[in-house]
Amino acid sequence: MDVSSLAREFITLFVVIVPIGTLPVFYFATAGVPSHFHRRIALRAVAVAGAVLMLFLVAGQLVLEALGLRFGSFQIAGGIILFLFALTMIFGESKPSREIEEAGRDHMEGAVFPLAMPSIASPGAMLAIVVLTDNHRNSVPDQIVTATLLFSVLLITLAVLLVGARLKKLIGTTGASVISRVMGIVLATVAVDAVLGGFEALDVMRLPPGGPL
């Protein structure tokens, strides 16, 4: 796997997980909780999200094949869903605000919901990790590299949560919303590329060599 592929996969995982975008959800989950528990909540949330995403990395494509579904079709569907997800990030209510509202409506708070799911291990992240670890196009070492990149993004997310109180003073909720929308533009580009890759996997079209990324 070359440097450009590594950069592309890292950016994809970073965009769908959005470490800074999890901050407002973390603030909600720790509201009214003694400060000495905040570190434990952050660690548990990242651990649960990592376990969920690793499950999709290992077994996601196997489940599809057991159902007789072609991976190219799933890649196109995943790209469309990622694109719709990106549109909600760009034009709709921001990711943090929406998740805080849902958590408040359900009267649930804590490390697992809404912090681990759906904030860190979001549907977009689950789909992205399956698309990035296609068993037919990526060797086991390549998939191990993808898993390593996933853990690096999760470590960044953990670091962001651990210093969340300080970051809140710098960017605030409005700052997190702006970043979420910028990331949505990048994610939309990744989604379109996933759809094109799905068509290529189904032999519907042939794509020229990729650009800088």
PDB file of all heavy atoms in Angstrom, residues 45-82:
ATOM      1  N   ALA A  45     -15.979   4.531  25.919  1.00  0.00           N
ATOM      2  CA  ALA A  45     -16.646   4.860  24.661  1.00  0.00           C
ATOM      3  C   ALA A  45     -15.781   4.493  23.466  1.00  0.00           C
ATOM      4  O   ALA A  45     -16.256   3.883  22.499  1.00  0.00           O
ATOM      5  CB  ALA A  45     -16.995   6.346  24.629  1.00  0.00           C
ATOM      6  N   VAL A  46     -14.496   4.842  23.516  1.00  0.00           N
ATOM      7  CA  VAL A  46     -13.600   4.535  22.403  1.00  0.00           C
ATOM      8  C   VAL A  46     -13.398   3.030  22.276  1.00  0.00           C
ATOM      9  O   VAL A  46     -13.327   2.488  21.169  1.00  0.00           O
ATOM     10  CB  VAL A  46     -12.254   5.266  22.581  1.00  0.00           C
ATOM     11  CG1 VAL A  46     -11.253   4.828  21.525  1.00  0.00           C
ATOM     12  CG2 VAL A  46     -12.462   6.783  22.500  1.00  0.00           C
ATOM     13  N   ALA A  47     -13.320   2.324  23.406  1.00  0.00           N
ATOM     14  CA  ALA A  47     -13.141   0.874  23.371  1.00  0.00           C
ATOM     15  C   ALA A  47     -14.347   0.188  22.737  1.00  0.00           C
ATOM     16  O   ALA A  47     -14.202  -0.717  21.895  1.00  0.00           O
ATOM     17  CB  ALA A  47     -12.911   0.340  24.787  1.00  0.00           C
ATOM     18  N   VAL A  48     -15.552   0.615  23.118  1.00  0.00           N
ATOM     19  CA  VAL A  48     -16.765   0.015  22.551  1.00  0.00           C
ATOM     20  C   VAL A  48     -16.856   0.321  21.059  1.00  0.00           C
ATOM     21  O   VAL A  48     -17.150  -0.570  20.243  1.00  0.00           O
ATOM     22  CB  VAL A  48     -18.015   0.534  23.287  1.00  0.00           C
ATOM     23  CG1 VAL A  48     -19.293   0.104  22.563  1.00  0.00           C
ATOM     24  CG2 VAL A  48     -18.030   0.025  24.724  1.00  0.00           C
ATOM     25  N   ALA A  49     -16.599   1.566  20.682  1.00  0.00           N
ATOM     26  CA  ALA A  49     -16.650   1.938  19.263  1.00  0.00           C
ATOM     27  C   ALA A  49     -15.621   1.152  18.463  1.00  0.00           C
ATOM     28  O   ALA A  49     -15.897   0.687  17.352  1.00  0.00           O
ATOM     29  CB  ALA A  49     -16.422   3.441  19.104  1.00  0.00           C
ATOM     30  N   GLY A  50     -14.413   0.989  19.020  1.00  0.00           N
ATOM     31  CA  GLY A  50     -13.381   0.227  18.336  1.00  0.00           C
ATOM     32  C   GLY A  50     -13.782  -1.223  18.131  1.00  0.00           C
ATOM     33  O   GLY A  50     -13.535  -1.806  17.069  1.00  0.00           O
ATOM     34  N   ALA A  51     -14.423  -1.831  19.139  1.00  0.00           N
ATOM     35  CA  ALA A  51     -14.866  -3.222  19.026  1.00  0.00           C
ATOM     36  C   ALA A  51     -15.923  -3.366  17.938  1.00  0.00           C
ATOM     37  O   ALA A  51     -15.890  -4.322  17.149  1.00  0.00           O
ATOM     38  CB  ALA A  51     -15.403  -3.705  20.370  1.00  0.00           C
ATOM     39  N   VAL A  52     -16.857  -2.418  17.884  1.00  0.00           N
ATOM     40  CA  VAL A  52     -17.913  -2.470  16.867  1.00  0.00           C
ATOM     41  C   VAL A  52     -17.331  -2.341  15.464  1.00  0.00           C
ATOM     42  O   VAL A  52     -17.668  -3.111  14.549  1.00  0.00           O
ATOM     43  CB  VAL A  52     -18.959  -1.362  17.118  1.00  0.00           C
ATOM     44  CG1 VAL A  52     -19.940  -1.269  15.952  1.00  0.00           C
ATOM     45  CG2 VAL A  52     -19.713  -1.627  18.415  1.00  0.00           C
ATOM     46  N   LEU A  53     -16.426  -1.392  15.282  1.00  0.00           N
ATOM     47  CA  LEU A  53     -15.845  -1.175  13.962  1.00  0.00           C
ATOM     48  C   LEU A  53     -14.947  -2.343  13.551  1.00  0.00           C
ATOM     49  O   LEU A  53     -14.900  -2.713  12.368  1.00  0.00           O
ATOM     50  CB  LEU A  53     -15.062   0.137  13.947  1.00  0.00           C
ATOM     51  CG  LEU A  53     -15.919   1.409  14.098  1.00  0.00           C
ATOM     52  CD1 LEU A  53     -15.037   2.642  14.195  1.00  0.00           C
ATOM     53  CD2 LEU A  53     -16.897   1.538  12.938  1.00  0.00           C
ATOM     54  N   MET A  54     -14.245  -2.950  14.497  1.00  0.00           N
ATOM     55  CA  MET A  54     -13.421  -4.116  14.178  1.00  0.00           C
ATOM     56  C   MET A  54     -14.293  -5.296  13.768  1.00  0.00           C
ATOM     57  O   MET A  54     -13.919  -6.098  12.907  1.00  0.00           O
ATOM     58  CB  MET A  54     -12.553  -4.489  15.375  1.00  0.00           C
ATOM     59  CG  MET A  54     -11.308  -3.628  15.536  1.00  0.00           C
ATOM     60  SD  MET A  54     -10.227  -3.678  14.086  1.00  0.00           S
ATOM     61  CE  MET A  54      -9.812  -5.429  14.040  1.00  0.00           C
ATOM     62  N   LEU A  55     -15.460  -5.411  14.392  1.00  0.00           N
ATOM     63  CA  LEU A  55     -16.394  -6.472  14.005  1.00  0.00           C
ATOM     64  C   LEU A  55     -16.812  -6.311  12.551  1.00  0.00           C
ATOM     65  O   LEU A  55     -16.861  -7.294  11.794  1.00  0.00           O
ATOM     66  CB  LEU A  55     -17.619  -6.454  14.918  1.00  0.00           C
ATOM     67  CG  LEU A  55     -18.721  -7.467  14.597  1.00  0.00           C
ATOM     68  CD1 LEU A  55     -18.191  -8.883  14.755  1.00  0.00           C
ATOM     69  CD2 LEU A  55     -19.931  -7.254  15.511  1.00  0.00           C
ATOM     70  N   PHE A  56     -17.077  -5.072  12.144  1.00  0.00           N
ATOM     71  CA  PHE A  56     -17.436  -4.826  10.757  1.00  0.00           C
ATOM     72  C   PHE A  56     -16.247  -5.053   9.836  1.00  0.00           C
ATOM     73  O   PHE A  56     -16.409  -5.522   8.705  1.00  0.00           O
ATOM     74  CB  PHE A  56     -17.970  -3.402  10.590  1.00  0.00           C
ATOM     75  CG  PHE A  56     -19.450  -3.289  10.835  1.00  0.00           C
ATOM     76  CD1 PHE A  56     -19.945  -3.181  12.126  1.00  0.00           C
ATOM     77  CD2 PHE A  56     -20.351  -3.300   9.786  1.00  0.00           C
ATOM     78  CE1 PHE A  56     -21.305  -3.093  12.366  1.00  0.00           C
ATOM     79  CE2 PHE A  56     -21.710  -3.214  10.004  1.00  0.00           C
ATOM     80  CZ  PHE A  56     -22.193  -3.114  11.307  1.00  0.00           C
ATOM     81  N   LEU A  57     -15.047  -4.739  10.297  1.00  0.00           N
ATOM     82  CA  LEU A  57     -13.852  -4.947   9.481  1.00  0.00           C
ATOM     83  C   LEU A  57     -13.635  -6.437   9.216  1.00  0.00           C
ATOM     84  O   LEU A  57     -13.313  -6.849   8.103  1.00  0.00           O
ATOM     85  CB  LEU A  57     -12.629  -4.347  10.181  1.00  0.00           C
ATOM     86  CG  LEU A  57     -11.308  -4.339   9.410  1.00  0.00           C
ATOM     87  CD1 LEU A  57     -10.452  -3.149   9.846  1.00  0.00           C
ATOM     88  CD2 LEU A  57     -10.516  -5.629   9.622  1.00  0.00           C
ATOM     89  N   VAL A  58     -13.832  -7.270  10.239  1.00  0.00           N
ATOM     90  CA  VAL A  58     -13.550  -8.698  10.122  1.00  0.00           C
ATOM     91  C   VAL A  58     -14.682  -9.448   9.434  1.00  0.00           C
ATOM     92  O   VAL A  58     -14.452 -10.301   8.561  1.00  0.00           O
ATOM     93  CB  VAL A  58     -13.279  -9.308  11.517  1.00  0.00           C
ATOM     94  CG1 VAL A  58     -13.153 -10.819  11.424  1.00  0.00           C
ATOM     95  CG2 VAL A  58     -12.033  -8.695  12.133  1.00  0.00           C
ATOM     96  N   ALA A  59     -15.927  -9.148   9.823  1.00  0.00           N
ATOM     97  CA  ALA A  59     -17.043  -9.981   9.388  1.00  0.00           C
ATOM     98  C   ALA A  59     -18.014  -9.306   8.436  1.00  0.00           C
ATOM     99  O   ALA A  59     -18.905  -9.977   7.900  1.00  0.00           O
ATOM    100  CB  ALA A  59     -17.824 -10.485  10.613  1.00  0.00           C
ATOM    101  N   GLY A  60     -17.880  -8.028   8.207  1.00  0.00           N
ATOM    102  CA  GLY A  60     -18.852  -7.314   7.386  1.00  0.00           C
ATOM    103  C   GLY A  60     -19.000  -7.892   5.996  1.00  0.00           C
ATOM    104  O   GLY A  60     -20.104  -8.188   5.536  1.00  0.00           O
ATOM    105  N   GLN A  61     -17.877  -8.078   5.303  1.00  0.00           N
ATOM    106  CA  GLN A  61     -17.948  -8.596   3.940  1.00  0.00           C
ATOM    107  C   GLN A  61     -18.354 -10.061   3.928  1.00  0.00           C
ATOM    108  O   GLN A  61     -19.043 -10.517   3.008  1.00  0.00           O
ATOM    109  CB  GLN A  61     -16.598  -8.419   3.250  1.00  0.00           C
ATOM    110  CG  GLN A  61     -16.634  -8.782   1.777  1.00  0.00           C
ATOM    111  CD  GLN A  61     -15.363  -8.408   1.066  1.00  0.00           C
ATOM    112  OE1 GLN A  61     -14.476  -7.797   1.641  1.00  0.00           O
ATOM    113  NE2 GLN A  61     -15.254  -8.779  -0.202  1.00  0.00           N
ATOM    114  N   LEU A  62     -17.942 -10.835   4.941  1.00  0.00           N
ATOM    115  CA  LEU A  62     -18.326 -12.249   5.009  1.00  0.00           C
ATOM    116  C   LEU A  62     -19.838 -12.404   5.088  1.00  0.00           C
ATOM    117  O   LEU A  62     -20.420 -13.310   4.474  1.00  0.00           O
ATOM    118  CB  LEU A  62     -17.659 -12.915   6.221  1.00  0.00           C
ATOM    119  CG  LEU A  62     -16.126 -12.969   6.195  1.00  0.00           C
ATOM    120  CD1 LEU A  62     -15.609 -13.590   7.485  1.00  0.00           C
ATOM    121  CD2 LEU A  62     -15.640 -13.758   4.980  1.00  0.00           C
ATOM    122  N   VAL A  63     -20.478 -11.512   5.834  1.00  0.00           N
ATOM    123  CA  VAL A  63     -21.936 -11.557   5.952  1.00  0.00           C
ATOM    124  C   VAL A  63     -22.577 -11.270   4.598  1.00  0.00           C
ATOM    125  O   VAL A  63     -23.541 -11.935   4.184  1.00  0.00           O
ATOM    126  CB  VAL A  63     -22.430 -10.565   7.018  1.00  0.00           C
ATOM    127  CG1 VAL A  63     -23.948 -10.465   7.007  1.00  0.00           C
ATOM    128  CG2 VAL A  63     -21.942 -10.985   8.396  1.00  0.00           C
ATOM    129  N   LEU A  64     -22.028 -10.282   3.901  1.00  0.00           N
ATOM    130  CA  LEU A  64     -22.568  -9.949   2.579  1.00  0.00           C
ATOM    131  C   LEU A  64     -22.466 -11.132   1.626  1.00  0.00           C
ATOM    132  O   LEU A  64     -23.404 -11.448   0.895  1.00  0.00           O
ATOM    133  CB  LEU A  64     -21.810  -8.744   2.004  1.00  0.00           C
ATOM    134  CG  LEU A  64     -22.083  -7.380   2.643  1.00  0.00           C
ATOM    135  CD1 LEU A  64     -21.162  -6.346   2.039  1.00  0.00           C
ATOM    136  CD2 LEU A  64     -23.520  -6.982   2.456  1.00  0.00           C
ATOM    137  N   GLU A  65     -21.300 -11.788   1.627  1.00  0.00           N
ATOM    138  CA  GLU A  65     -21.101 -12.912   0.726  1.00  0.00           C
ATOM    139  C   GLU A  65     -21.984 -14.090   1.114  1.00  0.00           C
ATOM    140  O   GLU A  65     -22.454 -14.843   0.252  1.00  0.00           O
ATOM    141  CB  GLU A  65     -19.631 -13.301   0.719  1.00  0.00           C
ATOM    142  CG  GLU A  65     -18.740 -12.242   0.084  1.00  0.00           C
ATOM    143  CD  GLU A  65     -17.275 -12.609   0.115  1.00  0.00           C
ATOM    144  OE1 GLU A  65     -16.934 -13.578   0.847  1.00  0.00           O
ATOM    145  OE2 GLU A  65     -16.478 -11.943  -0.557  1.00  0.00           O
ATOM    146  N   ALA A  66     -22.209 -14.285   2.415  1.00  0.00           N
ATOM    147  CA  ALA A  66     -23.090 -15.366   2.867  1.00  0.00           C
ATOM    148  C   ALA A  66     -24.521 -15.137   2.384  1.00  0.00           C
ATOM    149  O   ALA A  66     -25.266 -16.096   2.146  1.00  0.00           O
ATOM    150  CB  ALA A  66     -23.054 -15.474   4.381  1.00  0.00           C
ATOM    151  N   LEU A  67     -24.897 -13.877   2.236  1.00  0.00           N
ATOM    152  CA  LEU A  67     -26.230 -13.544   1.741  1.00  0.00           C
ATOM    153  C   LEU A  67     -26.302 -13.533   0.217  1.00  0.00           C
ATOM    154  O   LEU A  67     -27.363 -13.284  -0.366  1.00  0.00           O
ATOM    155  CB  LEU A  67     -26.668 -12.171   2.283  1.00  0.00           C
ATOM    156  CG  LEU A  67     -26.860 -12.081   3.800  1.00  0.00           C
ATOM    157  CD1 LEU A  67     -27.136 -10.633   4.208  1.00  0.00           C
ATOM    158  CD2 LEU A  67     -27.997 -12.983   4.249  1.00  0.00           C
ATOM    159  N   GLY A  68     -25.152 -13.783  -0.422  1.00  0.00           N
ATOM    160  CA  GLY A  68     -25.131 -13.817  -1.878  1.00  0.00           C
ATOM    161  C   GLY A  68     -25.133 -12.453  -2.531  1.00  0.00           C
ATOM    162  O   GLY A  68     -25.514 -12.334  -3.704  1.00  0.00           O
ATOM    163  N   LEU A  69     -24.693 -11.440  -1.796  1.00  0.00           N
ATOM    164  CA  LEU A  69     -24.671 -10.079  -2.336  1.00  0.00           C
ATOM    165  C   LEU A  69     -23.290  -9.766  -2.890  1.00  0.00           C
ATOM    166  O   LEU A  69     -22.271 -10.133  -2.297  1.00  0.00           O
ATOM    167  CB  LEU A  69     -25.037  -9.074  -1.234  1.00  0.00           C
ATOM    168  CG  LEU A  69     -26.410  -9.256  -0.591  1.00  0.00           C
ATOM    169  CD1 LEU A  69     -26.589  -8.269   0.549  1.00  0.00           C
ATOM    170  CD2 LEU A  69     -27.508  -9.081  -1.627  1.00  0.00           C
ATOM    171  N   ARG A  70     -23.243  -9.084  -4.032  1.00  0.00           N
ATOM    172  CA  ARG A  70     -21.965  -8.702  -4.621  1.00  0.00           C
ATOM    173  C   ARG A  70     -21.414  -7.477  -3.905  1.00  0.00           C
ATOM    174  O   ARG A  70     -22.149  -6.542  -3.596  1.00  0.00           O
ATOM    175  CB  ARG A  70     -22.138  -8.424  -6.113  1.00  0.00           C
ATOM    176  CG  ARG A  70     -22.399  -9.680  -6.933  1.00  0.00           C
ATOM    177  CD  ARG A  70     -22.550  -9.369  -8.404  1.00  0.00           C
ATOM    178  NE  ARG A  70     -23.772  -8.622  -8.670  1.00  0.00           N
ATOM    179  CZ  ARG A  70     -24.195  -8.294  -9.887  1.00  0.00           C
ATOM    180  NH1 ARG A  70     -23.467  -8.619 -10.938  1.00  0.00           N
ATOM    181  NH2 ARG A  70     -25.306  -7.626 -10.051  1.00  0.00           N
ATOM    182  N   PHE A  71     -20.098  -7.508  -3.685  1.00  0.00           N
ATOM    183  CA  PHE A  71     -19.487  -6.407  -2.954  1.00  0.00           C
ATOM    184  C   PHE A  71     -19.585  -5.093  -3.706  1.00  0.00           C
ATOM    185  O   PHE A  71     -19.726  -4.033  -3.105  1.00  0.00           O
ATOM    186  CB  PHE A  71     -18.011  -6.715  -2.650  1.00  0.00           C
ATOM    187  CG  PHE A  71     -17.358  -5.670  -1.804  1.00  0.00           C
ATOM    188  CD1 PHE A  71     -17.606  -5.605  -0.441  1.00  0.00           C
ATOM    189  CD2 PHE A  71     -16.500  -4.732  -2.360  1.00  0.00           C
ATOM    190  CE1 PHE A  71     -17.015  -4.641   0.341  1.00  0.00           C
ATOM    191  CE2 PHE A  71     -15.896  -3.760  -1.577  1.00  0.00           C
ATOM    192  CZ  PHE A  71     -16.158  -3.715  -0.217  1.00  0.00           C
ATOM    193  N   GLY A  72     -19.516  -5.160  -5.013  1.00  0.00           N
ATOM    194  CA  GLY A  72     -19.644  -3.932  -5.798  1.00  0.00           C
ATOM    195  C   GLY A  72     -20.971  -3.246  -5.553  1.00  0.00           C
ATOM    196  O   GLY A  72     -21.049  -2.020  -5.442  1.00  0.00           O
ATOM    197  N   SER A  73     -22.041  -4.062  -5.446  1.00  0.00           N
ATOM    198  CA  SER A  73     -23.363  -3.495  -5.170  1.00  0.00           C
ATOM    199  C   SER A  73     -23.391  -2.835  -3.796  1.00  0.00           C
ATOM    200  O   SER A  73     -23.954  -1.748  -3.624  1.00  0.00           O
ATOM    201  CB  SER A  73     -24.426  -4.601  -5.241  1.00  0.00           C
ATOM    202  OG  SER A  73     -24.456  -5.191  -6.517  1.00  0.00           O
ATOM    203  N   PHE A  74     -22.772  -3.511  -2.818  1.00  0.00           N
ATOM    204  CA  PHE A  74     -22.726  -2.928  -1.481  1.00  0.00           C
ATOM    205  C   PHE A  74     -21.897  -1.644  -1.468  1.00  0.00           C
ATOM    206  O   PHE A  74     -22.230  -0.686  -0.783  1.00  0.00           O
ATOM    207  CB  PHE A  74     -22.141  -3.935  -0.489  1.00  0.00           C
ATOM    208  CG  PHE A  74     -22.016  -3.407   0.913  1.00  0.00           C
ATOM    209  CD1 PHE A  74     -23.119  -3.346   1.750  1.00  0.00           C
ATOM    210  CD2 PHE A  74     -20.804  -2.961   1.402  1.00  0.00           C
ATOM    211  CE1 PHE A  74     -23.020  -2.862   3.034  1.00  0.00           C
ATOM    212  CE2 PHE A  74     -20.685  -2.470   2.685  1.00  0.00           C
ATOM    213  CZ  PHE A  74     -21.802  -2.424   3.506  1.00  0.00           C
ATOM    214  N   GLN A  75     -20.824  -1.640  -2.260  1.00  0.00           N
ATOM    215  CA  GLN A  75     -19.981  -0.448  -2.320  1.00  0.00           C
ATOM    216  C   GLN A  75     -20.751   0.731  -2.899  1.00  0.00           C
ATOM    217  O   GLN A  75     -20.630   1.863  -2.417  1.00  0.00           O
ATOM    218  CB  GLN A  75     -18.736  -0.734  -3.160  1.00  0.00           C
ATOM    219  CG  GLN A  75     -17.676   0.358  -3.090  1.00  0.00           C
ATOM    220  CD  GLN A  75     -16.386  -0.055  -3.753  1.00  0.00           C
ATOM    221  OE1 GLN A  75     -16.260  -1.177  -4.258  1.00  0.00           O
ATOM    222  NE2 GLN A  75     -15.419   0.844  -3.785  1.00  0.00           N
ATOM    223  N   ILE A  76     -21.566   0.475  -3.932  1.00  0.00           N
ATOM    224  CA  ILE A  76     -22.384   1.548  -4.497  1.00  0.00           C
ATOM    225  C   ILE A  76     -23.410   2.019  -3.474  1.00  0.00           C
ATOM    226  O   ILE A  76     -23.593   3.225  -3.272  1.00  0.00           O
ATOM    227  CB  ILE A  76     -23.088   1.060  -5.779  1.00  0.00           C
ATOM    228  CG1 ILE A  76     -22.053   0.794  -6.872  1.00  0.00           C
ATOM    229  CG2 ILE A  76     -24.109   2.092  -6.256  1.00  0.00           C
ATOM    230  CD1 ILE A  76     -22.632   0.142  -8.110  1.00  0.00           C
ATOM    231  N   ALA A  77     -24.093   1.057  -2.819  1.00  0.00           N
ATOM    232  CA  ALA A  77     -25.082   1.428  -1.802  1.00  0.00           C
ATOM    233  C   ALA A  77     -24.420   2.186  -0.655  1.00  0.00           C
ATOM    234  O   ALA A  77     -24.952   3.187  -0.165  1.00  0.00           O
ATOM    235  CB  ALA A  77     -25.776   0.170  -1.270  1.00  0.00           C
ATOM    236  N   GLY A  78     -23.243   1.706  -0.252  1.00  0.00           N
ATOM    237  CA  GLY A  78     -22.527   2.394   0.820  1.00  0.00           C
ATOM    238  C   GLY A  78     -22.127   3.802   0.426  1.00  0.00           C
ATOM    239  O   GLY A  78     -22.223   4.739   1.228  1.00  0.00           O
ATOM    240  N   GLY A  79     -21.690   3.959  -0.836  1.00  0.00           N
ATOM    241  CA  GLY A  79     -21.320   5.288  -1.306  1.00  0.00           C
ATOM    242  C   GLY A  79     -22.505   6.235  -1.326  1.00  0.00           C
ATOM    243  O   GLY A  79     -22.385   7.411  -0.952  1.00  0.00           O
ATOM    244  N   ILE A  80     -23.680   5.723  -1.738  1.00  0.00           N
ATOM    245  CA  ILE A  80     -24.882   6.556  -1.751  1.00  0.00           C
ATOM    246  C   ILE A  80     -25.265   6.980  -0.338  1.00  0.00           C
ATOM    247  O   ILE A  80     -25.593   8.145  -0.077  1.00  0.00           O
ATOM    248  CB  ILE A  80     -26.047   5.805  -2.424  1.00  0.00           C
ATOM    249  CG1 ILE A  80     -25.745   5.604  -3.912  1.00  0.00           C
ATOM    250  CG2 ILE A  80     -27.363   6.568  -2.252  1.00  0.00           C
ATOM    251  CD1 ILE A  80     -26.752   4.729  -4.627  1.00  0.00           C
ATOM    252  N   ILE A  81     -25.212   6.013   0.598  1.00  0.00           N
ATOM    253  CA  ILE A  81     -25.556   6.336   1.983  1.00  0.00           C
ATOM    254  C   ILE A  81     -24.555   7.321   2.576  1.00  0.00           C
ATOM    255  O   ILE A  81     -24.934   8.270   3.283  1.00  0.00           O
ATOM    256  CB  ILE A  81     -25.621   5.055   2.833  1.00  0.00           C
ATOM    257  CG1 ILE A  81     -26.798   4.189   2.361  1.00  0.00           C
ATOM    258  CG2 ILE A  81     -25.777   5.379   4.317  1.00  0.00           C
ATOM    259  CD1 ILE A  81     -26.874   2.842   3.026  1.00  0.00           C
ATOM    260  N   LEU A  82     -23.268   7.119   2.270  1.00  0.00           N
ATOM    261  CA  LEU A  82     -22.256   8.062   2.748  1.00  0.00           C
ATOM    262  C   LEU A  82     -22.502   9.457   2.172  1.00  0.00           C
ATOM    263  O   LEU A  82     -22.324  10.468   2.863  1.00  0.00           O
ATOM    264  CB  LEU A  82     -20.862   7.579   2.356  1.00  0.00           C
ATOM    265  CG  LEU A  82     -20.298   6.383   3.126  1.00  0.00           C
ATOM    266  CD1 LEU A  82     -18.934   6.000   2.561  1.00  0.00           C
ATOM    267  CD2 LEU A  82     -20.181   6.692   4.612  1.00  0.00           C
TER     268      LEU A  82
END
